Amino acid sequence: MFGDAHLHFKGLCYDGIEDAELLCVNAAERSDWERIRDVPDTRVMKFYGIHPWYVGDWNDNICDELRSFLDDDPKAGVGEIGLDNSRPDSVLQAEVFTRQLMVASEYERCVSIHNVRSEGLIQRLLKIEGKGCRSIILHSFMGPVGSIESFRKMNAYFSISPRLLLKSRENAKLILSKVPDDRLLLETDAPDIPGGFTDMATFISDIAEIKGIEQNDLAQLTLRNLREATQ
């Protein structure tokens, strides 16, 4: 049994998902919210939010709707939210990320954060607006390793996706060696899984081999961490 710390509605079909015990299903666009809400699978923890790629859709009505979805589901988180420095709308991204952090903090919910070369600003905004968040999941964490300790102090968890295996083995081993064991999570980001992924058991085995631990031990460790982060 394992926990998948980040996937999307259309990804609820990958090889090995039948062995999952906890699935964190994240929205990207507003149009995802009802589909996620209506998923009957009791293993699913539902996250509602606006991804930084779609911040142009944000408005005050959506903010009110986010509150309504959280009111209706006391276990729901806020995600996928965050910042992406590869895109041109950085000011709007920061505004929308801040608004969603404020709601998550007010409701004391877990947040799932997208970060592309924006860790400094994300940390600053978390310190200002994210103090009430239940926990922070750093989706598809790829470094930099210098940010790990400061994020850890903010009650962050580091979710490793199959993208890490696209790095050199040395880089992957360095990142995994620096993430504290009690803060390590695994995710697929399905359906956005990079080439080379075959099934969850193989992915877990690959990460376990790099870390030098047993596959089952890694699955249980990361499942326990995900429960602590979200429940």
Side-chain angles (χ1 to χ4, degrees):
M1 305 301 292
F2 65 89
D4 187 339
H6 190 103
L7 71 158
H8 297 276
F9 175 80
K10 291 181 179 179
L12 284 165
C13 57
Y14 61 81
D15 289 343
I17 198 171
E18 64 276 5
D19 292 326
E21 187 167 313
L22 179 56
L23 299 160
C24 293
V25 178
N26 280 253
E29 303 177 71
R30 172 62 185 83
S31 59
D32 294 334
W33 294 8
E34 281 81 9
R35 291 185 294 177
I36 292 173
R37 180 195 63 196
D38 295 338
V39 171
D41 193 329
T42 58
R43 300 175 300 168
V44 168
M45 178 179 176
K46 301 167 183 182
F47 284 72
Y48 305 105
I50 301 296
H51 189 285
W53 293 0
Y54 304 108
V55 292
D57 296 336
W58 180 264
N59 56 50
D60 288 340
N61 288 337
I62 290 181
C63 189
D64 291 339
E65 290 171 351
L66 176 58
R67 292 175 181 275
S68 178
F69 273 73
L70 297 180
D71 283 331
D72 290 343
D73 185 353
K75 296 181 180 180
V78 176
E80 175 181 355
I81 65 175
L83 300 174
D84 190 327
N85 197 38
S86 69
R87 301 178 73 86
D89 50 356
S90 58
V91 173
L92 181 58
Q93 284 188 46
E95 291 175 357
V96 175
F97 179 50
T98 298
R99 293 286 299 279
Q100 293 181 97
L101 269 184
M102 292 170 67
V103 173
S105 186
E106 176 186 343
Y107 280 78
E108 299 181 340
R109 301 302 174 90
C110 177
V111 294
S112 187
I113 294 181
H114 173 106
N115 167 34
V116 175
R117 299 193 301 274
S118 303
E119 53 278 350
L121 181 53
I122 286 174
Q123 289 181 4
R124 290 196 295 274
L125 293 175
L126 283 170
K127 288 177 181 178
I128 297 169
E129 303 294 356
K131 293 180 180 179
C133 293
R134 167 73 177 81
S135 60
I136 298 154
I137 294 176
L138 298 174
H139 151 56
S140 196
F141 183 76
M142 302 278 280
V145 295
S147 70
I148 290 174
E149 180 59 18
S150 52
F151 271 124
R152 184 196 64 79
K153 291 178 179 178
M154 298 177 184
N155 198 25
Y157 291 77
F158 304 85
S159 186
I160 302 299
S161 80
R163 290 186 187 88
L164 185 69
L165 299 177
L166 300 179
K167 284 182 169 286
S168 70
R169 183 180 176 87
E170 291 75 16
N171 285 340
K173 187 171 185 178
L174 174 63
I175 290 170
L176 288 169
S177 71
K178 296 297 184 180
V179 173
D181 282 352
D182 64 350
R183 296 283 158 170
L184 179 65
L185 305 175
L186 296 179
E187 65 169 78
T188 59
D189 197 21
D192 301 318
I193 307 174
F197 178 91
T198 55
D199 56 72
M200 195 61 178
T202 301
F203 172 54
I204 293 172
S205 177
D206 289 342
I207 297 298
E209 195 274 331
I210 294 172
K211 280 185 63 63
I213 64 175
E214 294 295 324
Q215 178 178 345
N216 287 339
D217 291 343
L218 177 65
Q220 290 303 307
L221 167 69
T222 53
L223 174 59
R224 182 169 64 249
N225 291 343
L226 186 57
R227 289 194 189 114
E228 292 174 353
T230 60
Q231 298 177 1

